[in-house]
Amino acid sequence: MRRARRASVEETPQGPARAAQYVRMSTDHQKYSTENQRDAIASYAARHDLMIVRTYEDQGRSGLRIEGRDALKQLIDDVRHRRADFSVVLVYDVSRWGRFPDADESAYYEYTCKEAGIKVQYCAEQFENDGSLSSTIIKSMKRAMAGEYSRELSAKVFAGQCRLIGLGFRQGGTPGYGLRRQLIDEHRTPKICLGRGEYKSLQTDRIILRPGPPEEVAVVQRIYRQFVLQLKSEAEIAAMLNLEGIPNEFGRPWTRGTIHQILTNEKYVGNNVYNRVSFKLKQKRIVNPPEMWVRAQDAFDAVVDSDFFHAARRIIEERTKRLTDQEMLERLTLLLKQKGHLSGLVIDEGDEMPSSSVYRTRFGSLIRAYHLVGYDPGRDYQYIETNRALRTRFPEVLSQTMAGILQAGGTVELDKLTDILEINGEIRVSIVIARCLHTQTGLLRWKLRLDTGLRPDITIAIRMDEENEQILDYYLLPSIDMSSDKLKLAEENGIYLDAYRFDDLDAFFNFSARNDLGIAA
C-alpha cells in the first residue's frame, strides 16, 4: 500500500510552471508595441505549458541603459532579493531585453536571473536559450547586433540633425532671453510662437528662432553696449538690471553667469550652433572643442549687431589670454580666501575671474586646479549654490503645478504663507524639491523633509537629476502612508516607495479634475 500511495503521489500532475513576462516599447521603435509582444509571449507560454503570473512593463523607454527602466530594475531587484514567485522570465526577443552598447551588460542581467535559478527565454527568436554552444553564439551575436543598431541609429540621427542645423532649424533647448521659438511649416510659412513647455505636433513642422518682445531685445542690446562701450563687467551689469527690477527669462535675478551666456552665445547674431556637448548613446556627456561644432551662419534674424558681438568676444578672449597659468592660480587663491570654498558656480560668479570652463581647459580639470592652490574639496560646497538655484526655481514649479490643475478642470488656492495648495477645497498638497547627492561610492541619494507640521494630504516630492539641473521624476506621497517626516531615496526604492513614482504630473492633474455626475434615480 505504501508503494501504491507513493506511486500515486509521483503521478500527480504538477501543473504549468510559473512565468513572468517583460515587455518594453521604445520611442524610436514603435512597431514593437507591448500588445504585439504580449500576444507572442502568450502563444509561447501556451506552447510550453507556462502560466504567466506577473508582468513587468516599460513604456516608451530606450534600451540603451537600465536607468529609467523601472520595470526591468524591479524585476532584477525581485530576483536578487528572492521575491520572485516565478521560475521563468519571458521576453519577446534579445533587443527587448536591451540594446546595451556593451553586450556584457545584457549578459550580466540575464546571468543574475540564471544565478537565482530563473531562466530567461526569448519567445520570438529562432533559438532556444538552453545554454548550448549554438544558442550561446547566436545570442551573443544578437546582443552585439542590438548594440550596433543603436550606434548606427545614433550616427544617422546625428547626421540628420546636422543637416537640419545647416538649413537653419533649431534643434531643442530654450530660446534664451530676448528670443522666441517660431513654428514654421514645411514651406517655411510662419505659424505660431511656442511658449515654454510647448512643442510642435506635426513631424513636418520646424522651429526657428526670432527676436522676442521689443523690451527684451532692448535689454540684450543694452547689455552689449554696457559691456563693450562702457567696459562694465558682467557682475556690474547683473547688479544694475537687478536694481532696476528686470528679471531674466525665468523670472529670476540676473547673475554674472547669465550675463556671460548672453555675451558669448552666437544665436544673438543669428548663428545656429550645434554639437557643443555630446551625449551619444546616453553614455558620458562630453564638452566638444569648437572645431567639432556644427554652425549655420545667419540662420536667424540677429538681435544684436555682429560688430558688438565680436567686440564682446574679443574682450572676453583677451581677458583670458593675457593671464598666465600662475596669474590664473593667483586669482583662484584670492577667490578661495574671499569665499572660503570653491566650486564651478563660485568661479563663474567671481568678478574679473576666468570662467570655470577656462580653468578646466587650462589645467585639465577643476580638481587639479584646486589642488594647485592647496584646496581640498573633501566636502562638496557646491550644495550652497545648488540649494540657492533650487529655491529660485521653486516659484516656477509651483506656478506650473497650479496651471496644470486649472487646465485639468480643478480649482486651486495657494496659501502664500506656507506654499500649501488646496485643491477643489478638499485636498491639501505640499511641494518639495530634493537635490541629488553623490555618495563616496558613486551612488545617488535624495533626502526629503516632509512638511508634516502643515498636515498636507499629499506631498509632491520632485527629484532632480544628478547635475541638479533638470527634473528627474516625481513621487506623490500620501501622508497616510508616510510614518516619518524624513525620507531618504535611492535610485531604486522597492515597490513600497516606487509605486508612488511618476515621470510627470499628468496622473496628478487628472486626479485633480472635477467630473460631472449624472442624477441617480
Side-chain angles (χ1 to χ4, degrees):
M1 290 181 62
R2 275 182 198 162
R3 282 197 214 89
R5 191 178 295 111
R6 187 179 298 115
S8 175
V9 170
E10 290 174 352
E11 292 172 2
T12 301
Q14 298 297 319
R18 297 169 66 85
Q21 61 177 342
Y22 173 73
V23 294
R24 177 181 68 84
M25 182 181 70
S26 61
T27 55
D28 58 354
H29 216 120
Q30 296 296 333
K31 72 175 183 179
Y32 286 110
S33 70
T34 52
E35 291 78 10
N36 290 342
Q37 294 174 55
R38 288 173 187 269
D39 291 343
I41 291 173
S43 299
Y44 182 93
R47 294 195 306 269
H48 293 80
D49 195 24
L50 298 172
M51 178 176 63
I52 299 174
V53 298
R54 195 168 303 282
T55 298
Y56 297 87
E57 180 175 346
D58 279 320
Q59 283 276 10
R61 291 299 174 185
S62 169
L64 290 171
R65 298 191 303 174
I66 196 170
E67 284 77 9
R69 297 170 62 185
D70 295 335
L72 180 58
K73 289 195 290 187
Q74 186 63 57
L75 188 158
I76 299 300
D77 189 65
D78 290 344
V79 169
R80 285 172 175 165
H81 293 87
R82 301 297 190 266
R83 293 193 298 264
D85 57 351
F86 46 85
S87 59
V88 182
V89 175
L90 302 178
V91 190
Y92 181 78
D93 64 10
V94 173
S95 70
R96 295 303 91 194
W97 187 251
R99 294 187 182 277
F100 302 103
D102 187 349
D104 291 340
E105 185 174 359
S106 178
Y108 169 73
Y109 297 127
E110 182 177 329
Y111 179 76
T112 299
C113 297
K114 182 179 179 181
E115 192 177 32
I118 298 174
K119 297 180 180 179
V120 177
Q121 297 289 357
Y122 302 107
C123 304
E125 299 288 6
Q126 299 301 313
F127 65 90
E128 286 293 331
N129 195 17
D130 54 6
S132 63
L133 178 61
S134 59
S135 69
T136 301
I137 293 174
I138 296 174
K139 183 171 59 177
S140 298
M141 291 179 59
K142 290 276 188 176
R143 286 172 179 158
M145 290 168 60
E148 186 61 27
Y149 169 83
S150 297
R151 281 186 283 270
E152 291 180 355
L153 181 62
S154 175
K156 292 177 181 178
V157 169
F158 177 73
Q161 289 174 328
C162 291
R163 186 181 67 84
L164 293 176
I165 289 293
L167 293 174
F169 301 131
R170 179 77 170 173
Q171 294 295 299
T174 58
Y177 187 85
L179 294 167
R180 293 295 185 269
R181 293 182 300 149
Q182 172 77 60
L183 188 67
I184 60 175
D185 64 17
E186 56 186 323
H187 303 296
R188 292 183 176 266
T189 303
K191 299 177 73 172
I192 61 171
C193 280
L194 298 177
R196 189 181 305 167
E198 295 180 342
Y199 304 94
K200 66 176 187 177
S201 58
L202 299 178
Q203 188 69 24
T204 55
D205 285 349
R206 299 299 176 196
I207 295 173
I208 61 173
L209 292 183
R210 61 177 296 272
E215 58 272 17
E216 290 190 15
V217 172
V219 170
V220 173
Q221 294 172 346
R222 184 182 172 197
I223 289 173
Y224 274 87
R225 288 196 302 269
Q226 295 274 337
F227 186 77
V228 174
L229 300 179
Q230 301 184 23
L231 300 180
K232 290 188 176 181
S233 67
E234 293 98 321
E236 291 174 332
I237 297 173
M240 176 192 66
L241 294 177
N242 291 334
L243 188 63
E244 296 176 4
I246 301 175
N248 66 12
E249 61 177 313
F250 300 108
R252 307 170 192 161
W254 292 89
T255 65
R256 178 184 182 273
T258 53
I259 297 295
H260 185 81
Q261 192 273 336
I262 288 180
L263 292 170
T264 56
N265 200 310
E266 295 185 36
K267 62 187 176 184
Y268 288 100
V269 289
N271 293 344
N272 199 13
V273 183
Y274 180 65
N275 199 39
R276 293 182 180 181
V277 178
S278 298
F279 191 41
K280 294 181 180 179
L281 296 177
K282 297 187 177 181
Q283 298 299 302
K284 185 178 180 181
R285 190 178 296 273
I286 300 173
V287 178
N288 294 321
E291 56 267 21
M292 292 183 61
W293 297 357
V294 180
R295 179 184 285 103
Q297 302 282 351
D298 302 322
F300 316 125
D301 292 336
V303 173
V304 298
D305 189 270
S306 61
D307 290 338
F308 271 103
F309 179 82
H310 292 299
R313 170 174 285 182
R314 284 194 299 271
I315 292 173
I316 294 172
E317 289 177 350
E318 288 299 322
R319 187 173 63 191
T320 301
K321 286 181 179 178
R322 69 171 181 260
L323 295 177
T324 64
D325 290 357
Q326 184 60 35
E327 289 171 334
M328 290 183 63
L329 294 176
E330 288 175 357
R331 294 198 179 197
L332 195 61
T333 301
L334 180 60
L335 183 65
L336 175 59
K337 290 180 179 179
Q338 294 172 347
K339 300 293 185 180
H341 64 280
L342 295 174
S343 71
L345 287 175
V346 170
I347 295 173
D348 288 337
E349 292 302 319
D351 197 14
E352 296 299 324
M353 285 289 296
S355 66
S356 58
S357 61
V358 174
Y359 276 97
R360 290 189 186 95
T361 302
R362 188 76 68 89
F363 299 102
S365 69
L366 282 180
I367 296 298
R368 184 168 182 272
Y370 294 161
H371 289 327
L372 291 174
V373 297
Y375 174 64
D376 181 13
R379 182 181 178 187
D380 184 10
Y381 287 94
Q382 190 173 346
Y383 74 94
I384 298 175
E385 286 77 18
T386 300
N387 286 346
R388 184 183 297 117
L390 294 183
R391 283 195 297 270
T392 58
R393 185 167 186 169
F394 181 81
E396 179 185 356
V397 173
L398 195 64
S399 63
Q400 289 177 348
T401 305
M402 295 176 65
I405 295 170
L406 294 174
Q407 188 174 5
T411 63
V412 59
E413 292 185 4
L414 171 65
D415 186 331
K416 294 184 179 180
L417 183 62
T418 62
D419 288 329
I420 290 289
L421 301 178
E422 185 169 329
I423 301 175
N424 300 326
E426 301 169 346
I427 301 172
R428 290 166 55 83
V429 176
S430 173
I431 300 177
V432 295
I433 301 179
R435 67 183 174 90
C436 181
L437 308 171
H438 295 255
T439 67
Q440 293 182 349
T441 57
L443 301 177
L444 304 182
R445 293 292 183 266
W446 294 262
K447 292 182 180 180
L448 296 172
R449 183 180 292 276
L450 307 181
D451 294 327
T452 54
L454 300 177
R455 303 176 65 84
D457 299 299
I458 297 175
T459 297
I460 300 177
I462 301 175
R463 293 201 306 180
M464 303 300 293
D465 64 7
E466 57 183 299
E467 301 295 334
N468 284 302
E469 294 179 353
Q470 302 294 330
I471 293 176
L472 178 65
D473 52 24
Y474 303 82
Y475 279 73
L476 304 183
L477 304 173
S479 60
I480 193 172
D481 290 342
M482 299 296 110
S483 58
S484 174
D485 62 344
K486 295 180 180 179
L487 199 61
K488 188 174 182 179
L489 299 178
E491 296 177 73
E492 301 177 35
N493 303 283
I495 191 65
Y496 170 70
L497 285 174
D498 283 346
Y500 302 115
R501 195 199 73 82
F502 297 86
D503 290 327
D504 51 45
L505 289 179
D506 289 348
F508 174 74
F509 295 148
N510 292 334
F511 161 78
S512 306
R514 304 291 270 175
N515 297 310
D516 294 331
L517 299 178
I519 299 176

